[in-house]
Amino acid sequence: MAMTEAGAGQQDDEGGGGGESTFTVIVAALANLGIAVAKAVAGVISGSSAMLSEAAHSVADTVTEVLLLTALKRSEKPADEEHPLGYGPERYIWAMLAAVATFVGGAVFSLYDGIHTLVAGEEPGDPLVAYIVLAVAFLLESFSLRTGVRQARGEAERVGAPFKRYLRYTPDTAVKAVVLEDSAALIGLVLAAGGLLGGQLTGSGVWDGIASLSIGLLLLYVAWVLGRSNAELLIGRPLPKSVRERIRAELLAVEHVEAVLELTTLVQGPREALVAAKVDFRDVSTAAQIEWACEQAEARLREVFPGVSRVYLDPTPGYAQRREEGLNPLP
């Protein structure tokens, strides 16, 4: 289960949504590939720069889906000696490259084509084929978006988070990318249709150029949002504050634990999180009692937060004892 503000660490009883994410991405990839070819043909026939921008948009989306599939597959590799913490964060590297593909393949081309059309002008052709392609593309994109939204809403309901908040904070950036890109695709189709209609009614290519520029700006925004989300996770994002407080409370509830001096959490994937803590145990506790307290704490956290895959506890002298021994205070 994706770790959001409302319910980090919760998990689907059947193992989460990894397969569901893959299906969502495959549906989006197949839809975008077919749409890209159709848009390119329609753009050449109609002479519409907005249609060519939409073709570039769909090509960028197809490349994005391929990169996201790579991210999903490579991040599933189990931990090994060379990568003891697993490969979960690798998905965010590939997802970042997908955001770059959206920027370079879609936004830059659309902005260039729009500016070129406004400066050099264009001769509008027969828009009928373009209208037909736009209508078919709208249906296919709607189906792809419906698949992504349905998964995201299901995940949001399982963690008890509002849909918009889940989409903002979810570590499952594959589903987030599909929802955002398909939403942008539908808006782009409407903009392209508006450009075609404006050119048809006025005989001027200005409307088509404006539509192409608008599509480019839309893709810039999507690329920025996806890039920012993946950058946060690559840099290292902690679990939400409410979850950290619950983790601290669970640790304090373990016998022999006096205080949690320092707590560090790290999201490593949609269903993976690391918890590390400096813990002050009772001074009268034996070594065996401390060892079993650590085992109990780990079991307790895994039970309450199934998404917590790694727990590291460091027995550390408390503040009072550190002062008595003349040790440096903890940060």
Side-chain angles (χ1 to χ4, degrees), residues 276-287:
K278 289 183 176 293
V279 179
D280 177 23
F281 291 92
R282 293 174 182 169
D283 295 338
V284 295
S285 300
T286 65

Side-chain angles (χ1 to χ4, degrees), residues 64 66-68 70-72 74-75 89-99 230 234:
T64 294
V66 172
L67 290 171
L68 290 177
T70 303
L72 290 171
R74 291 189 62 84
S75 64
E90 187 171 348
R91 74 164 52 211
Y92 302 124
I93 297 174
W94 291 95
M96 177 68 81
L97 292 176
N230 287 289
L234 279 172

